[in-house]
Amino acid sequence: MQFDKYILQKIDEELKNYVNKDDKLYNASKHLLFAGGKRIRPYLTVVTYMLKKDDIEKVLPAAVAVELIHNYTLIHDDIMDNDDERRGKPTVHKVYGEPIAILAGDLLYAKAFEAVSKINNEKKSYEVLKILSKACVDVCEGQAMDMEFENYFPSMEEYLEMIRKKTGALLEAAVEIGAVMGDCNEEERKALKEYAKRIGLTFQIQDDILDLIGDKKKIGKPVGSDIREGKKTIIVIHALKTLDEDNKKKLLNVLGNKNISDEEIKEIIEILKPSIDYAKNLMKQKTEEAKNYLKIFDKDRRKVLEDLADFIIERIY
């Protein structure tokens, strides 16, 4: 799908208002912010708002608050995972060092709440604040769960709960905030929450798939890096439940081995194909469910959200 360039331009203009100083700290905070991210979260906020409203200027501070929080989580994530690259560029801590990177993340976090304070309706500002702070708590809990999974193999239910928090929470918040700003009623807000839950799930599953069969240049990291890092993705969890003993042993032998060759990665990807298909089918099912929840909205206005649900599982990076 083509994202509306006017909306993206307005989001970027609004973002620049919060990081417009030119010094080391602000340059570090801008390093990822303007490094070619897709802007899915603020875009979701704006197009959800547009289900009922047309004046997008009023929703921009709320939309960029979500994007600022998202980028704060990415900077801190990269430090925790000791990642060298993101979006095909060196990570913030690799360029500026860890202390400045931590501060740059904290700055974006604080700026998000500055953006919320710019919402010119006190009731809505309070609602957005509640949604955003809950999402931040969920992201932290989800990240902690993900780190705990390094010590054991989670069940499918535990994994899905982790991605609902770590990845889904901010996507849900983006949609919920758009609904608040657009004056959606209770029934509409519930439907949008269900829609958002499902696209949050599919977003992470597609990331898990792209790590194995994506294009290295497009995804900005080596294919199979989740295997090398020992990540317990939905694909690995499904495989361990369904593979025969020989293939299970092969998978367990390479999982978390940073020194395995590209050839070994290829062999493992071959073994994982049925589980990749399982993940793809689950995404299709959840995407259809997501779109069904939008049926209560005007057909023309809801189309962007329907297209976004499809885009999330068809994207190649």
Side-chain angles (χ1 to χ4, degrees), residues 124-141:
K124 287 181 181 178
S125 181
Y126 173 67
E127 279 289 306
V128 170
L129 183 65
K130 273 204 309 189
I131 294 165
L132 208 50
S133 50
K134 183 188 180 300
C136 290
V137 170
D138 280 347
V139 170
C140 292
E141 289 177 358

Side-chain angles (χ1 to χ4, degrees), residues 20-164:
N20 53 8
K21 285 187 188 171
D22 184 17
D23 61 25
K24 193 173 183 181
L25 175 62
Y26 277 78
N27 290 338
S29 71
K30 283 183 269 196
H31 180 78
L32 265 189
L33 199 55
F34 297 103
K38 294 179 283 294
R39 303 283 188 247
I40 283 177
R41 289 155 194 82
Y43 196 81
L44 265 170
T45 300
V46 174
V47 295
T48 302
Y49 168 85
M50 289 174 75
L51 286 167
K52 309 287 287 282
K53 306 269 185 182
D54 293 308
D55 178 11
I56 73 166
E57 294 291 337
K58 287 182 178 164
V59 76
L60 288 173
V64 302
V66 188
E67 184 69 0
L68 289 161
I69 293 282
H70 172 56
N71 279 268
Y72 138 74
T73 66
L74 296 183
I75 294 174
H76 284 206
D77 238 15
D78 288 340
I79 294 167
M80 282 184 266
D81 294 343
N82 201 23
D83 283 337
D84 295 345
E85 267 188 36
R86 165 138 353 229
R87 297 172 183 162
K89 285 180 73 168
T91 46
V92 179
H93 67 279
K94 288 289 167 192
V95 178
Y96 294 93
E98 276 189 22
I100 286 287
I102 291 167
L103 282 175
D106 292 347
L107 178 73
L108 293 177
Y109 181 78
K111 288 286 180 181
F113 294 100
E114 184 185 315
V116 173
S117 75
K118 299 270 197 290
I119 297 167
N120 61 2
N121 176 312
E122 259 182 52
K123 189 170 181 292
K124 287 181 181 178
S125 181
Y126 173 67
E127 279 289 306
V128 170
L129 183 65
K130 273 204 309 189
I131 294 165
L132 208 50
S133 50
K134 183 188 180 300
C136 290
V137 170
D138 280 347
V139 170
C140 292
E141 289 177 358
Q143 176 69 2
M145 283 176 80
D146 197 17
M147 287 160 70
E148 280 169 32
F149 291 169
E150 289 168 20
N151 305 316
Y152 73 100
F153 280 92
S155 67
M156 190 64 82
E157 290 71 26
E158 285 175 305
Y159 179 78
L160 295 175
E161 174 66 2
M162 183 276 287
I163 62 174
R164 187 194 69 71

Side-chain angles (χ1 to χ4, degrees), residues 260-271:
I260 51 170
S261 66
D262 290 348
E263 274 311 306
E264 286 171 296
I265 288 280
K266 271 186 197 161
E267 189 189 344
I268 290 301
I269 290 169
E270 199 58 41
I271 289 170

Side-chain angles (χ1 to χ4, degrees), residues 298-314:
D298 175 81
K299 195 178 174 192
D300 294 331
R301 287 189 180 244
R302 74 181 188 232
K303 190 174 184 316
V304 185
L305 285 170
E306 290 170 341
D307 290 347
L308 259 169
D310 288 326
F311 166 78
I312 281 168
I313 67 166
E314 287 159 9

Side-chain angles (χ1 to χ4, degrees), residues 145-159 226-227 229-241 243 248-256 272:
M145 283 176 80
D146 197 17
M147 287 160 70
E148 280 169 32
F149 291 169
E150 289 168 20
N151 305 316
Y152 73 100
F153 280 92
S155 67
M156 190 64 82
E157 290 71 26
E158 285 175 305
Y159 179 78
D226 282 355
I227 299 287
E229 286 162 25
K231 287 267 169 81
K232 278 81 168 207
T233 65
I234 193 167
I235 296 159
V236 167
I237 294 165
H238 180 266
L240 289 172
K241 276 171 69 178
L243 287 175
K248 201 185 283 189
K249 265 187 199 153
K250 278 182 190 169
L251 175 56
L252 288 169
N253 281 340
V254 300
L255 201 61
L272 290 173

